[in-house]
Amino acid sequence: MKVVRIGVVVGVVLLGGCTAHKQAGQPTATSGTGVKQPVFSAGGKGIGDRYFPAYGNGGYDVADYDLSLRYDPVDGGLSGTATITATTTQNLSRFNLDFKDLKASSVTVDGAVCATREDDDELTVTPPAGIAEGKRFTTVVNYVSTRTRKNTRNTTGGWLPAQVGGFALGEPASARTWYPVNDHPSDKATYKLKMTVPAGLQVISNGTPSPQTTSDGWTTWTWTEASPMASYLSTVAIGHYRIDRSTHLGRPMVIAVPSSLPADSPPAQAVARTGEIADFLATRFGPYPFDAYGALVLDDSRIDFALETQSRPTYASTILRPDNGTSVVAHELAHQWFGDSVSLKRWKDIWLNEGFATYAQWLWKEHEGELSVQDSFDQAYSKTEWKLPPGDPGADALFAAPVYQRGAMTLQALRSAIGDAAFFALLKSWPAEHKNGNAATDDFIAAATRAAGGRDMKSLLTTWLFAAAKPPKPSSSER
Ligand code: TRP
Ligand code: ZN
């Protein structure tokens, strides 16, 4: 049902005992009795992503998440309050938040108690009165996590309690397992996290730290991410960490390594080069896009990958081996431009994240004198599987090797076609034009065409991104 009249909203409201009242100045529709009444409708339970129809929600746009949470050392549980500031994009009778393995104890909108429903990883909130289109509103959710150390042993992704502390991490979705959220990269927001833990434990998250405060044996840590962030890029880690705080180019740099790892271990050595690698990438992609730098290393057998969590990438200790450590750091730092600052409009375009981050690894390896970009291309060209189109890999193959390798090869093919000067100008203009925003493959094709002086790059790029067969090797004579 697309349009719900206010009378229907009153029916829903009976569930929660709220009272509805007519608001002034709203659009009206003529009901069956001929009386003009405001038209309100429910926000969609998905944001419209073909790959993940239930991800995100319709009807509003979040500006800020203010999370005030507490970690319980007895069972590893999380609880707290999320204050979500958003603006309606329609006359809204009710709306959803993504909400998985969480339980709400109370929900208010602008201070008014709301009726709620929880099912299918969604929290449905029905305020006592509809909210007019374009109105800013504040939702406060008190909640607990239903995940505990005992029941999450086999769970991957999202909030994972550990023996001491825990952490939250995962792509394409993880945020919904630790706070109510519009869980899709097309709705980016700023964040503040206050996390209260037993004194002696450390808390690491995105962005810039504020001084922590301690009372009665509990310490509250505060982290602020002031640049809009996609929800899957939010993270928190609680545990015993060595935290190295410094500044880099005048911005805070926070590098956290588990106390269980020696200070000179390969993971610690790799992340110690964060500033140097970010500076190299800035020479290729333009200014580093965020207020803070850093790294977070995890030492937990459930995690064996890295993720480009905003301003502070997360690395499983096992992935930062002596032979490949800085290449992984270059990959995750490149995502700060490609994925984090310029975020996806929809998951289908994942190559815009992974192809660029892989290309950055090729650039870094060349810079380090390990392997030229052309050699990286040639290796990938000889061993890639060509059936899976990186421009539309399908939800189940979002992170398949061709998304990374053929995505990067696509960029090298474009470079061959338009020449180094135009290509490297594009690598800077693209993140500049979409800074803190969202983009899609079509936007990139248009940008590449502009970079090529108007020569249409659509056919070249669609062949590399979508053809089910190996495209011809680009000839270097075109450069
Ligand atoms: N985006 C990550 C990277 O390439 C990889 C990744 C895919 C991932 N799925 C994940 C990381 C789930 C953590 C969780 O750097
Ligand atoms: Zn990646």
Side-chain angles (χ1 to χ4, degrees), residues 99-148:
F99 200 68
K100 181 179 166 66
D101 300 339
L102 301 175
K103 178 119 202 57
S105 54
S106 74
V107 181
T108 60
V109 166
D110 294 335
V113 175
C114 297
T116 62
R117 221 175 95 173
E118 293 174 31
D119 56 15
D120 291 340
D121 302 339
E122 302 268 347
L123 171 68
T124 302
V125 178
T126 307
I131 314 168
E133 179 175 354
K135 191 173 179 292
R136 209 169 167 87
F137 67 105
T138 302
T139 306
V140 177
V141 181
N142 286 300
Y143 64 97
V144 298
S145 163
T146 60
R147 292 185 172 186
T148 65

Side-chain angles (χ1 to χ4, degrees), residues 62-65 187-192 206-208 223-231 233-234 251 287-293 309-311 336 339-343 434-437:
V62 177
D64 181 71
Y65 296 93
D187 188 3
K188 295 162 61 155
T190 54
Y191 282 73
K192 181 153 143 195
N206 311 88
T208 302
W223 294 88
T224 306
E225 177 51 69
S227 302
M229 175 163 73
S231 49
L233 299 171
S234 64
R251 298 173 208 197
Y288 179 77
F290 298 122
D291 295 344
Y293 294 89
T309 42
Q310 187 157 312
S311 78
Q336 304 304 307
D340 294 14
S341 180
V342 184
S343 300
H434 296 282
K435 183 172 172 168
N436 291 328

Side-chain angles (χ1 to χ4, degrees), residues 64 69 87 95:
D64 181 71
L69 308 181
T87 300
F95 61 93

